[in-house]
Amino acid sequence: MEIDKENVVQAVVIMDTFNDHFNPISKCKPMSLLPVAGVPLINYILESLAHGGVGEVILFCCQDGPTIKDYIRKSIENKAIWSVTMDVQVMMSDSCQTMGDVMREIDAAGLVRGYFILAGVNTITNINFGALLEQHKQLCKKDKGAAMTLVYKKVAWEHPLIGSDKPIFLAADANTNKVLMHHKYKPKSTEKSISLPLEVVLNHSEVKLHHNLADANIALCSPSVPPLFSDNFDFQTRDDFVHGILINEEILASSLYYTLLKGNQYAAAVTNWKTYQTVCRDVLHNWAYPLSFETGSTEQNNYLFMGNHIFREKSSTLSRSCSLIEDVLIGSQTHINDNTVVSKSVIGKNCVIGNNVTITGSHIMNNVVIKDNCKVLNSFIDEQCTIGENSVIENGTIIASNVVVDAGSQLKGTLLESSEVDKEKSLMKSTSECTEWENESSGSGGDDFIGFEKSWSSSESCYSSDGSDESSLPDSPVPEDTNIFLQEVIDSLARGYEEKLKNDYLILEINSSRYAYNIQLHEVNFFVVRALLSMPVLAENKNVLNTVKDILKYFRPVLSNYIKTKSSIMDCLRAVEDSCIKCEWLDGKSGQVLHLLYEADVVDEDSLIEWHKDLEENESPIANQTSLVKFFDWLEEASEESDDSD
Amino acid sequence: MKKEEVQEIFLKIMKEEEDVSAGVAAIRTLLSVIENYKVTTVRELDLNMQLAVEAMKHCDQPVTAISSGCELFMRFITFAKLDFTDFEECEQIMLQRGNIFLNTLLEARGKVAKQAMPFITDGCKILTHSRSRVVLQAMLEAAKANKRFEVYVTMSCPDNSGELMHKQLVAGGVDATLILDSAVGYIMEQVDIVMIGAEGVTESGGIINKIGTYLLGMAALELKKPVYVLTESFKFSRIYPLDQQDLPKEFKYLSSVLKSGKDLTKEHPLVDYTPPAYITLLFTDLGILTPSAVSDELIKLYL
Amino acid sequence: MSPSKGSGKDLDDKFIDLIGKFVSDIKNGKLRGSNNIALSMVTLLETIISDSQNATAYELCTAVRAAGRRVAAALPHELVASNVTRRILRAVRDENRAHANQVNQTVEGSGESLQRLVLAAGARRATLGAAQHDLREPLRDHIAELRGELESSVSSVCGQAKEHVHGDEVILTYGASALAEKFLRAAPRTYKLILAEGPETAESHAMAHRLSTAGISVTVVSSASIYAVMSRVNKVVISVSAALGGGAVLAAAGLSAVTQAARHYSVPVLALAPLYKLCPVHATDASYFNALAPPHSALPYERHECASDNVHVYAPMYDFAPPDHITLFITNLGGSSPSYMYRLLSELYDPNDYNL
Amino acid sequence: MSSTDNKSREDVMAARQAKKLAKQKGKEAAPEQVQIPAEAQVKPATPVQQEKPSKPEPKVNSLKSKDEVDKAVLKEEKVIVADKSKDDIKAERAAKKAAKQAKKKGATEGGDAPQDKPQVAAAAPANENMTVKDVVETLRDIAIVAKEIQGVTDKVIDLGAKKAEDSSKSKAELKAERRAKQEAQRAAKQAAQEKVVAKPKAEAKAAPEKDATSVKVEKAVKPKSTEKPKVKSQGSHRVNWFQHLYKEHDKESLKTIAINSNLHPAIIKLGVQLASRVVSGSNARCIALLDALKKMVRDYTLPAKTEFARGLEAHLASSLDFLWAMRQPSASQTNAVKFFRYHLTQLPNNVDEFDAKKTLQEEIDRYIREQIDMAGEAISIAVRNKISNGDNILTYGCSSLIERILLDAWAAGLQFRTVVVGSRVQPAAQHMLRRLVARGLPCTYIDITALGFVMNTVSKVVLGAGALLVNGSVLGSAGSAQLALAARARNVPVLVACETHKFCDRVQTDAFVYNEIGDPDDLIDKNDENSPLKDWRTNPNLTPLNLTYDVTPPSLVTAVVTELAILPCTSAPVVLRFKLSEYGV
């Protein structure tokens, strides 16, 4: 393939999803190594690229680059099939926070030579990329401006791929397949009507409208795409890009196209736990052929087919009396003991499942031990976990690796992580989520995997909980001045808050001013929070804390956009400290504010505690505020009680 | 050399070693005959042999295996004879090769069992008839390889050898059920495969086996279940029975009965003949054969 | 017994890369058609043989076997590849025997037989004895021979068309197959063809179209009406994807329906099976027959039924017809009845290589 | 594929809408709203709908309102009859008119726009037939729709077979008519707009695109364009053993009949529906026929000084000729007619017209109730007793009876899995699957080619039947015999569920003596546009053959389940004899 560099089909795979849908799993291992039907995601994408005649792949990692790098190295040593025809290079850049940044990076580094395929690591497909890209090139011959061809799979409206992800509405010219309008609903959105601009209909002889498309997160890009990203620094995600292009098509002089996959082509993206379930099932049912649960291993046919889509690795052992109902995948060396019933589940390698265990709709990774008489329903258990006897785990409980669940514990819709603190937190969280389940399950009746609904709703789910009781204190001081940026941010936020603008726009604004004044990221984090806490509304308002609460609630997306990493959380806390000192109306309420932030799941304990520590170290004025002290006491005891709760 | 002595040796082997089949026992007897009764000429040897064979056929044991085994051994002798002129040396060679021969025979059962392995699939139901050492071994090995399968064993009158089979299977951790001979038709529709042993395999590729096998075969064919026969190759014999009547008497009845001169039509035959049409495959130490392959083998040997 | 059960260890890397290339070619559809696959497998093994530094029987057997095993592991459904491997192995063994001219040269064929048993020469064990000849030269001829056979096989199978298909007959064939198509073209054009479309509709239709343009009168029927038309059919001609030990047949899904119907009306069934498709496995080994194809052909993914939890959609890749459904196998060597398959197998392969 | 899915969704919407409207006894407001929602579900903004009702506007509206009215009264059959028949006539007129317009347009300027040509071409031969064809084409499209609705409104099973069939059917019709008219309009407007500026046309297309009706517009035109070659080449494309069957199939018969003959509209409509397979499945066809007859009887006016029986008989004969020309009578239909004739002859000579009509109608109702509804129930119970927990029930294609059986069994709390076998050519099975899944039955769907794969796990095979012949062989939809054979190979018992009104005294040993040739184009793969078969008409050597039935010999059938008892199918003659003594038919 080295001979003609030019004709080699290039593909860029973005190894991060830039969201926390898979927390806490995605915290402890890179998304790309999350196993779907027993096979790490990365294998699927690589193999399908190889099938599609791609010659060169750039894996772009923003986190855990090294892990991925040596994973790739290993599989090349093991002569993975794709390694023969494809050369894979891993790019790393921890500075990238969004896909936009990645594209800019790529543009800067000049990695792509020409037309290329842009896919996410969470894509699972069996399409022939080469052919599609060729098609895109042809199209570019016709329309110089053609920047990107989006790839969609048409499915029934009721299909879970749509139901559980953000549905798309798309209007396009029927003759040219030029995208005219692209609208992404909020998940489970109830809006029944969308307004189609008249000119869309007037200017085109025929218009196709699609409302039942599943986005496989695949795009065929012209060379012009990375530069476009660089020119418009407010493009954060692909959707930004799409909208940007559509809104000011003339200015950017580029246009979008879309293509639908044929009947026998499969494509889906794992965007949240629900789609994760669906895709796993599809893989088991062989829709993604030739991709299968044996993808990536040179050895095929190591699985015994036992009817009803039950597969078990040859080396796995079943006891006589255990029964597998349907849609079961059992990895190698796993042993299942007597009277255990497994259905609609994936069980990884080297697991030991005890007697009288019931496992339904769950995903159990490698080296998990489940003791006798357990019940595991609609849950995800990551590697090296141990589940004690008689425990019941259900409703989308997600257990990160190396957790030991004590015997007889009951977990409903909980997030469990190995460290004690987290555990306690998540248990608290669970209270709120459990309520979530009820009203959701009532919403979509009899949905098997209701548990996994949490994944995307988690962000909202957090404000449904309000445990704190605020004492409302009267005060109305005036906000003091900070630097211009802060002012700008405050203004835009304030405006946004009054006019109830969409958070996305605000984020854009903030970013643009960020770039304008070129502020460092951590400063941005700091100032955003600072701004939030020093909005004029607060000044006039009587009941500060409630307002703060509302504000937090309203700007949750903004926050979650900026406050992701640990460092950013520290920024945020510092901002709180700062504003508590600077703004009178927050005087003495730092504790409550923190509590709110904490309830809103913006900050987590360990960072809180850490922060609290260095507060005391460099004895800051608020360190010994009663409210603050109260809050941390409460935090302590909360942890204790949760500890004896399990 | 005394006829009784020979019989004694033979019966001793049969008695002492539970799981050695009559054919092997016979051959071993013959070997020991060669050892013990020194002779000087090939001719004498032949005489001795024939005598011994006769003797064994008359010691009240099911004779099918014996005869086929002996036949084979005689053939072996003749081959051996051809190679050498000097009788002394010939005899030595004969003994030494004889042992090799014997060992291959002893290995046979293991091989057969191995052949049958893949046919015992996880979760299948097997019907077997009477007691066959090969079948037993095959099933026990399958059980060891933690395959989950059920076995139905016929009682198989008159000697109820099925009960022993059943006992041994259960002991070996196989999920086995004992059924009446007359329940074959009833059980047949539930089972997936029929797996039986054989006392002798005829030129036609059919088998001679414990009485009731024929019926079993017919039922299986009617319900389209495959019939697999597990047998060692030394049970191949050069007879070609046309029907049940055509089976040699000494096969059907114990020599004692024959001697007693009773009216045979009133007697229960011990074995029956199952024509090749009812047999799907034979698993032998020579490999997995279709019935038609048997004659091929025999022809290669005897012509 | 058979040398070194070890995995690909006993192959050096350049071979492994070669194999990887071969495998990925097939997987990415660059290499299609059983015949081509067989041929390129031969080439692969040839290079392995000629490049392996010391070419004693044992070494070669080990290398070839390892290669074969590796390919088989990667492409379990390309039975042809394994068959070719077995053929080569057999060649190696024969050559070896020829050199170390052993007692049992007289015994034609190899592997177990009563005769050998009786001859009791433990010689059989010494098959791969320490004979240190370089076998490359003679093997080259063998391989050339084999390649020749592969190349000619299709034509020699089709050559027999005239003997089986007569004018004014009604022939039914099932699904699309290059071999069957050639065969039907080779026959005198006066017969009428009923083409029952197989699971891969498009190919079947394409084939129907080609044949009809070639001047054969073709009637296309759906796979549902096979039974209905069968009573008018004189002969059924099918091309198999593998002829198994014991005379059973592995072919495109839906074949059993055809053979059953044919049997019901006692219509003779001709199975086109070039020698390289004969393979010494038996019908039980589930892994071959439970291979699932993507179910799109049965039910398009767009239907939300197939996403609902209590719906399973199956589309098997292969179907399996028992020996008694097949009247005649047509190989390069002419017609042979299912009951005779065991013989062909034992002539082609060495029993020790039955499972690689 | 999903375009139909898509469509179906909106049609469902439309249906609901319609019901809602129906409640407010068809105000004049109704029509506009009605057709808007049909399309407007997804894009209320398009101006198209507003300006859409072009020339035939007023008439159509009135018609529409009619539609609504009779949707409203759909529940009670008495009234529906009148309405349906009436607006039916209008439907025909509308269609005819539309077509005429189209033709005129086409004639006036010799097809400048491509869309025009086919119209001209088609319009040329005989506008009578073409109008019918028009309706046929549209109706064929609706066939799917009808099924969908059946699927959604689960009436099919709940109120026993009779109601089910009737309701779903009438829905189908209503939709059919409304669509028919819309098509007519659209076609007309199409033609009209060809010569107008490109823009409105553009919208006209833009609008439908979404609910996939534009596809239909094409459809409505395409078949006509291909019409000529078809007629021409037909001779060469007849599989010679089936020569005797082809004439029954070809659509020529549609040309010959004169719409404005004295045939009863209900009959004409039924004819069209039969020809276009809107009404299919022997039960449905039987009920439809009886229903039509009932209307005919009711509206029959006795000519002066003729005996009622004779007069009606004559009338009946002519109508039947028409119907059978449209599609071969199914056994159920012939039996129904036999029964009707019998009661006609039973009438005393001096009977009063009113009483006569009354008795006849009652008889018809009784027949439907006893022979179909109650029979179905009896059979369902009988089969249910044969199903045990953990069974794997395999069934083929789509049969209202089987569906009823399975759903009842499931409702009765039996735990079993259903294996639905379909074949590519007949999509019916997929609808079956859809309906079963909707009720939560665990299902497995396979193509008929996968039979061998599942058969070893199947515990019973339950088949529906078109007819049970007197020699015990079963006339079922093509493929059933194959199932029976495969089942036999695995010793799986095969049950054929068949009401005794489908027993018929014909004898048949293979699928050639009597059969029906389906539309050869169904064989061609719809979803790849350049299918190698598409030009088969120009290739004399290539003949797609699409059989409708095949015959399962008694040896392959374990038992026939009838309302009388579970019988060996060899005892068909006994049943017939028994019925003769019972009902005189």
Side-chain angles (χ1 to χ4, degrees), chain B residues 245 247-270:
Chain B
Q245 288 321 307
L247 268 183
K249 286 202 172 33
E250 62 271 22
F251 284 17
K252 287 189 279 190
Y253 307 101
L254 288 176
S255 50
S256 56
V257 178
L258 289 171
K259 274 203 231 69
S260 66
K262 295 191 193 125
D263 173 4
L264 292 181
T265 55
K266 299 275 179 298
E267 286 299 319
H268 294 300
L270 300 173

Side-chain angles (χ1 to χ4, degrees), chain D residues 559-573:
Chain D
V560 181
V561 188
T562 70
E563 67 265 37
L564 304 178
I566 299 186
L567 306 164
C569 50
T570 45
S571 57

Side-chain angles (χ1 to χ4, degrees), chain A residues 130-184:
Chain A
L132 281 176
L133 193 63
E134 202 42 49
Q135 184 184 324
H136 177 66
K137 284 179 186 166
Q138 297 311 324
L139 194 144
C140 293
K141 286 203 179 63
K142 280 198 233 76
D143 173 358
K144 289 280 164 291
M148 194 184 261
T149 304
L150 303 165
V151 179
Y152 292 112
K153 173 77 178 168
K154 209 167 182 181
V155 295
W157 175 253
E158 300 84 345
H159 197 289
L161 276 181
I162 288 187
S164 56
D165 198 2
K166 298 196 177 67
I168 304 168
F169 173 77
L170 184 121
D173 184 313
N175 306 325
T176 62
N177 282 345
K178 190 164 181 287
V179 179
L180 305 174
M181 175 182 169
H182 177 282
H183 176 66
K184 218 166 192 174

Side-chain angles (χ1 to χ4, degrees), chain D residues 193-503:
Chain D
Q193 284 163 339
E194 294 308 330
K195 68 174 196 301
V196 193
V197 205
K199 227 175 187 195
K201 172 196 163 201
E203 287 150 16
K205 290 183 70 66
E209 194 48 59
K210 198 173 309 67
D211 60 335
T213 36
S214 83
V215 186
K216 254 186 240 141
V217 175
E218 261 82 286
K219 276 218 184 120
V221 178
K222 183 175 83 295
K224 299 201 215 82
S225 52
T226 56
E227 233 261 80
K228 280 229 168 57
K230 191 194 245 150
V231 179
K232 161 166 101 295
S233 64
Q234 218 141 22
S236 68
H237 280 295
R238 295 180 165 189
V239 182
N240 52 358
W241 328 297
F242 289 105
Q243 290 296 355
H244 60 293
L245 297 181
Y246 274 97
K247 67 177 187 311
E248 296 145 8
H249 163 66
D250 62 23
K251 294 270 194 300
E252 302 303 309
S253 47
L254 285 176
K255 289 208 175 101
T256 61
I257 59 105
I259 293 295
N260 48 15
S261 70
N262 56 357
L263 286 181
H264 188 287
I267 299 292
I268 294 174
K269 168 157 42 128
L270 177 60
V272 173
Q273 286 169 331
L274 288 175
S276 57
R277 304 289 197 272
V278 171
V279 176
S280 63
S282 49
N283 273 350
R285 283 164 73 182
C286 176
I287 294 171
L289 174 68
L290 288 170
D291 195 43
L293 288 182
K294 225 165 91 188
K295 291 171 196 164
M296 190 186 81
V297 171
R298 190 202 48 222
D299 301 355
Y300 178 65
T301 46
L302 187 60
K305 52 185 166 353
T306 41
E307 199 174 296
F308 183 81
R310 293 194 193 296
L312 187 53
E313 174 56 46
H315 193 57
L316 178 67
S318 61
S319 351
L320 289 182
D321 292 345
F322 165 71
L323 285 180
W324 300 163
M326 285 297 152
R327 183 177 176 182
Q328 276 289 296
S330 69
S332 54
Q333 285 173 310
T334 32
N335 284 341
V337 169
K338 224 187 278 162
F339 153 91
F340 182 75
R341 282 223 167 89
Y342 170 74
H343 282 286
L344 198 55
T345 48
Q346 294 307 85
L347 291 172
N349 299 355
N350 53 0
V351 68
D352 158 39
E353 179 173 348
F354 178 73
D355 299 346
K357 288 185 176 179
K358 190 153 165 304
T359 39
L360 284 178
Q361 292 179 33
E362 282 166 359
E363 280 304 330
I364 289 178
D365 289 337
R366 198 177 114 249
Y367 187 84
I368 294 177
R369 196 169 60 254
E370 287 177 355
Q371 293 299 314
I372 300 172
D373 187 8
M374 288 157 74
E377 188 168 355
I379 291 176
S380 141
I381 290 166
V383 175
R384 194 186 314 158
N385 299 335
K386 291 289 171 198
I387 300 177
S388 48
N389 282 338
D391 268 3
N392 246 358
I393 310 294
L394 183 137
T395 174
Y396 178 66
C398 179
S399 142
S400 58
L401 181 57
I402 301 297
E403 187 180 343
R404 179 180 187 182
I405 293 170
L406 291 173
L407 290 177
D408 289 359
W410 184 253
L414 283 164
Q415 290 300 322
F416 59 93
R417 174 172 276 276
T418 312
V419 182
V420 182
V421 183
S423 78
R424 190 181 61 82
V425 182
Q426 302 149 335
Q430 293 183 13
H431 302 303
M432 177 94 157
L433 175 69
R434 157 170 308 216
R435 275 175 253 145
L436 293 179
V437 171
R439 294 295 213 77
L441 276 74
C443 292
T444 303
Y445 182 88
I446 58 163
D447 186 75
I448 192 162
T449 54
L451 261 186
F453 183 76
V454 291
M455 199 41 102
N456 52 356
T457 65
V458 171
S459 46
K460 282 169 194 80
V461 175
V462 184
L463 293 173
L468 192 69
L469 309 180
V470 74
N471 66 339
S473 32
V474 178
L475 188 76
S477 63
S480 351
Q482 224 154 295
L483 254 71
L485 196 59
R488 169 47 53 91
R490 295 271 186 180
N491 330 311
V492 179
V494 179
L495 302 179
V496 172
C498 177
E499 305 95 331
T500 52
H501 77 89
K502 291 183 194 163
F503 283 50

Side-chain angles (χ1 to χ4, degrees), chain A residues 154-158 169 174 192-198 201-209 211-212 305 308 326, chain D residues 2-3 5-6 9-10 41-48 199 201-203 205-206 209-210 214 218 417 434 444 453:
Chain A
K154 209 167 182 181
V155 295
W157 175 253
E158 300 84 345
F169 173 77
K192 275 275 158 286
S193 72
I194 28 94
S195 54
L196 189 63
L198 189 52
V201 182
L202 295 181
N203 305 349
H204 303 83
S205 62
E206 240 182 281
V207 179
K208 278 213 187 88
L209 302 175
H211 64 296
N212 54 356
F305 177 75
N308 276 351
E326 56 176 2
Chain D
S2 81
S3 80
D5 253 342
N6 183 343
R9 274 183 63 261
E10 278 129 19
Q41 285 311 333
V42 193
K43 37 99 213 132
T46 34
V48 185
K199 227 175 187 195
K201 172 196 163 201
E203 287 150 16
K205 290 183 70 66
E209 194 48 59
K210 198 173 309 67
S214 83
E218 261 82 286
R417 174 172 276 276
R434 157 170 308 216
T444 303
F453 183 76

Side-chain angles (χ1 to χ4, degrees), chain D residues 35-171:
Chain D
Q35 40 184 156
I36 309 305
E39 285 75 6
Q41 285 311 333
V42 193
K43 37 99 213 132
T46 34
V48 185
Q49 299 315 107
Q50 279 61 11
E51 71 153 49
K52 181 176 171 215
S54 54
K55 216 213 121 276
E57 163 84 284
K59 155 190 249 83
V60 172
N61 276 353
S62 61
L63 278 172
K64 289 233 139 291
S65 53
K66 262 283 174 296
D67 264 1
E68 298 331 308
V69 176
D70 78 28
K71 266 215 204 61
V73 295
L74 178 148
K75 306 295 165 291
E76 58 274 10
E77 272 105 26
K78 299 288 174 296
V79 201
I80 185 171
V81 176
D83 276 321
K84 240 189 265 150
S85 53
K86 270 205 217 67
D87 71 19
D88 191 305
I89 306 162
K90 295 221 182 69
E92 298 306 326
R93 290 222 198 85
K96 220 184 298 176
K97 186 167 194 69
K100 284 224 188 64
Q101 277 187 339
K103 172 146 155 278
K104 235 187 281 119
K105 284 286 174 297
T108 44
E109 78 280 12
D112 40 1
Q115 286 289 2
D116 240 354
K117 279 234 166 52
Q119 296 244 358
V120 192
N127 70 26
E128 288 300 3
N129 108 73
M130 158 190 156
T131 56
V132 180
K133 269 214 136 35
D134 213 347
V135 183
V136 172
E137 292 308 336
T138 46
L139 278 173
R140 167 165 296 132
D141 302 337
I142 281 61
I144 312 146
V145 182
K147 283 250 166 46
E148 303 290 13
I149 290 173
Q150 241 174 341
V152 178
T153 60
D154 276 334
K155 279 209 186 59
V156 193
I157 310 310
D158 301 339
L159 15 143
K162 171 181 170 38
K163 273 257 193 55
E165 295 296 355
D166 204 317
S167 68
S168 55
K169 176 170 65 69
S170 49
K171 264 211 182 44

